Amino acid sequence: MVQDAHYLIAFSKSLSILSSKAQVSEEIIQFAEAAKVAIVVERSLHETYFQHFGLTQNDVENTEMSPICDHYVNFLLATTTNNSYEVGLAAVLPCFWIYAEVGKYIYHQSIEENPYQDWIDSYASVEFEESVNHVIKTTDQAAENSSKTTIKMMHHVFRRATQLESVSYTPLRAHEPLRYLVCRLLLE
């Protein structure tokens, strides 16, 4: 959970970078709002869990980023900073999409009085699904107007971000596929 808090700060920065590169007003707003939500909503969820587990803000701030989290956030920041808007979109899309799918899956598997129910509800919500579909649509539209070289790069960074999303859970239970791992963690 602490690593997720570190990750979301960098993810929010990546979304802000995309907002600054967008050429259409609606997309500027879309990613500026997403950056805000990544901090505000998630911070609220994290603080509740940190209190539950007896972690202070000082504990969280003084916990170093794991090598995997560090690699993932640096990949996102470098990709959104040093590449086109279209390529940056492809890099952030897996986070949105995977969490929506995992959230929906877990929602239907969740036990009663699950301590992570607020997290599950957030990612299984209609509102989150709508925002994910909006990011998918924005990315698809960006790809429609892109060169073959850009589309190839979009595919590459999408795959890499998906791998990094998956690997960020690997140290916890290396023998389980991502879907089962995340579900197990939230259902326990």
Side-chain angles (χ1 to χ4, degrees), residues 29-41:
I29 294 167
Q30 175 185 4
F31 291 104
E33 283 294 319
K36 177 182 174 185
V37 168
I39 296 291
V40 174
V41 173

Side-chain angles (χ1 to χ4, degrees), residues 9-186:
I9 291 168
F11 185 67
S12 179
K13 289 178 182 180
S14 294
L15 296 172
S16 295
I17 292 165
L18 289 176
S19 177
S20 74
K21 289 185 173 188
Q23 299 299 309
V24 179
S25 299
E26 291 78 18
E27 293 172 15
I28 294 169
I29 294 167
Q30 175 185 4
F31 291 104
E33 283 294 319
K36 177 182 174 185
V37 168
I39 296 291
V40 174
V41 173
E42 285 294 329
R43 180 181 289 164
S44 174
L45 285 172
H46 283 144
E47 286 175 358
T48 300
Y49 293 124
F50 292 155
Q51 288 174 1
H52 176 76
F53 293 115
L55 293 170
T56 66
Q57 187 63 32
N58 193 40
D59 294 332
V60 174
E61 290 172 1
N62 290 319
T63 300
E64 279 189 30
M65 217 182 279
S66 72
I68 291 169
C69 184
D70 185 64
H71 180 69
Y72 190 12
V73 302
N74 281 300
F75 165 79
L76 287 175
L77 289 167
T79 302
T80 55
T81 300
N82 299 321
N83 290 280
S84 67
Y85 174 68
E86 294 81 6
V87 172
L89 288 172
V92 301
L93 180 56
C95 181
F96 284 102
W97 206 341
I98 289 170
Y99 273 81
E101 293 302 316
V102 169
K104 287 186 288 188
Y105 180 81
I106 293 173
Y107 181 81
H108 296 291
Q109 307 296 320
S110 183
I111 59 173
E112 285 188 39
E113 299 182 35
N114 188 318
Y116 299 101
Q117 195 63 49
D118 289 343
W119 184 94
I120 295 166
D121 291 345
S122 175
Y123 286 107
S125 72
V126 171
E127 296 82 11
F128 187 68
E129 184 173 17
E130 287 172 355
S131 74
V132 170
N133 288 336
H134 195 192
V135 175
I136 293 169
K137 181 180 175 184
T138 300
T139 306
D140 286 345
Q141 288 173 340
E144 287 175 9
N145 301 318
S146 296
S147 69
K148 288 182 182 180
T149 301
T150 298
I151 291 171
K152 183 176 179 181
M153 186 64 165
M154 290 174 76
H155 286 167
H156 171 74
V157 301
F158 179 86
R159 278 191 308 277
R160 181 52 47 96
T162 301
Q163 291 165 343
L164 290 168
E165 192 70 47
S166 175
V167 168
S168 66
Y169 296 100
T170 300
L172 303 173
R173 298 223 170 104
H175 64 283
E176 294 181 279
L178 175 65
R179 182 174 96 184
Y180 300 116
L181 170 66
V182 174
C183 292
R184 179 183 290 232
L185 290 173
L186 291 173

